[in-house]
Amino acid sequence: MPDATPQVRTLVSPHRLSRGRGRVIYWIVLAATLVTFTLVFVFPLYWMITGALKSPQELDQIPPTLFPADGLNWDTYREAWELLDLGRLLGNTVLYAAGAWIFTMAVDVTAAYALSKLRPVLGRVILGGMLATLMIPPMVLLLPTYVTVLDLPILHVNLLNTPWAIWLPAAANGFNVFLLKRFFDSIPRELLEAAEMDGASPARILWSIVLPISRPILGVVSIFTVVNVWRDFVWPLLALPDTEKTTISVAINSLSQTMPQNALTASLVIASLPTIVVFFLFQRHIMAGLTAGGLKG
């Protein structure tokens, strides 16, 4: 009787891996690949951090030096902090990112829950309209978004130079709604029906059952929202013309021509640190959240 076990084809056969020479070659290739890709991704960070420790003359030197010739001089970071008033700029950006996260969680989560579990009339049409917005280049949406913020419909309020100009557009994100809906679709319907039989309202089901289960995808959406607001340049430049209320990316760009190169590099390092920390703290949620929406059961 033929063996029904499926044969798995790999680049290196299991028979060759079982030999000493094949195993050694395998681990050498794997280690070399990991080291190479690690250096490719880590070296730009190393170059940026050490570049701030060099003098402007050393930064312009050709060929460049891999390590600061004068040692680790951290005074450049203090100079950049004081020159750009980075404390105020970081505070502004944290305010915008935190508010955008709160509104994104409130708007996108409830919208995705309604489309996935409450099944409203014309729900498919609404979801299709949201997904259609993903086909439009972001630059095309700048003008209508700016006009809307300049004169908010119905209320006729000017939101320029206010955090609302950042918070509200960030919350209207069809991609986040799609990610959340796909994950909510994978939650067993029987679990929610059992809660309904116990007398739980849709809001209570969302708060007590759906949200605790959905922590991976909520982590992914949170990372996307915070990073997008933190790194955005064009929209804050238009929506926050007041220099006292601007974000850190806009301020660094506006002062880049009048700053020493090492101080500019130091300010870029400081501006990048919060998003790097957020990524390393929540990186495991990215793959867990993106793949969980495709699982059923």
Side-chain angles (χ1 to χ4, degrees):
M1 181 176 180
D3 186 8
T5 304
Q7 298 295 322
V8 179
R9 296 180 178 271
T10 59
L11 186 62
V12 183
S13 66
H15 176 68
R16 179 167 296 182
L17 283 178
S18 64
R19 298 179 179 180
R21 182 181 177 184
R23 190 159 45 245
V24 170
I25 295 175
Y26 169 78
W27 284 110
I28 290 176
V29 173
L30 178 62
T33 303
L34 292 177
V35 170
T36 301
F37 277 93
T38 300
L39 290 177
V40 167
F41 286 101
V42 172
F43 183 76
L45 297 177
Y46 168 81
W47 190 255
M48 182 171 62
I49 294 173
T50 56
L53 303 176
K54 301 176 183 179
S55 63
Q57 295 76 20
E58 188 177 359
L59 277 176
D60 296 333
Q61 179 180 332
I62 297 177
T65 56
L66 290 177
F67 193 80
D70 299 330
L72 302 179
N73 183 13
W74 301 98
D75 291 340
T76 308
Y77 286 94
R78 179 173 54 82
E79 177 186 353
W81 183 276
E82 296 174 353
L83 190 62
L84 274 79
D85 193 11
L86 289 179
R88 174 179 59 82
L89 296 174
L90 286 172
N92 290 346
T93 313
V94 168
L95 173 65
Y96 301 142
W101 175 77
I102 293 174
F103 278 94
T104 297
M105 291 294 103
V107 174
D108 294 355
V109 169
T110 52
Y113 174 69
L115 292 173
S116 175
K117 299 303 181 184
L118 301 184
R119 308 290 177 86
V121 179
L122 300 179
R124 293 180 179 272
V125 176
I126 295 173
L127 179 61
M130 290 183 179
L131 296 179
T133 62
L134 303 180
M135 311 301 172
I136 304 175
M139 296 302 295
V140 176
L141 297 175
L142 280 178
L143 181 59
T145 305
Y146 181 83
V147 173
T148 302
V149 170
L150 183 64
D151 184 14
L152 190 66
I154 301 176
L155 298 179
H156 299 290
V157 178
N158 185 355
L159 299 180
L160 294 181
N161 279 323
T162 66
W164 296 98
I166 304 295
W167 294 344
L168 295 183
N173 192 307
F175 181 68
N176 289 341
V177 174
F178 174 71
L179 281 182
L180 290 164
K181 180 185 179 299
R182 284 295 305 274
F183 189 94
F184 293 163
D185 288 343
S186 66
I187 298 177
R189 185 72 185 177
E190 295 78 8
L191 184 63
L192 307 186
E193 291 176 350
E196 291 178 356
M197 293 179 62
D198 291 338
S201 64
R204 180 61 183 273
I205 294 174
L206 172 63
W207 181 260
S208 301
I209 298 177
V210 175
L211 291 184
I213 298 175
S214 307
R215 280 180 292 182
I217 194 63
L218 294 179
V220 171
V221 172
S222 299
I223 292 173
F224 286 170
T225 302
V226 172
V227 171
N228 285 339
V229 172
W230 196 276
R231 71 179 184 179
D232 196 9
F233 171 75
V234 177
W235 179 244
L237 180 65
L238 295 175
L240 303 169
D242 188 351
T243 56
E244 293 297 319
K245 299 179 180 180
T246 190
T247 61
I248 191 168
S249 59
V250 175
I252 291 176
N253 178 77
S254 62
L255 298 175
S256 60
Q257 301 300 323
T258 60
M259 295 176 57
Q261 282 294 103
N262 56 347
L264 175 62
T265 306
S267 63
L268 294 174
V269 173
I270 296 173
S272 303
L273 283 178
T275 53
I276 294 174
V277 171
V278 168
F279 172 77
F280 279 111
L281 287 178
F282 299 102
Q283 60 176 326
R284 64 187 182 90
H285 290 297
I286 294 180
M287 291 307 300
L290 290 176
T291 57
L295 302 178
K296 295 292 183 180

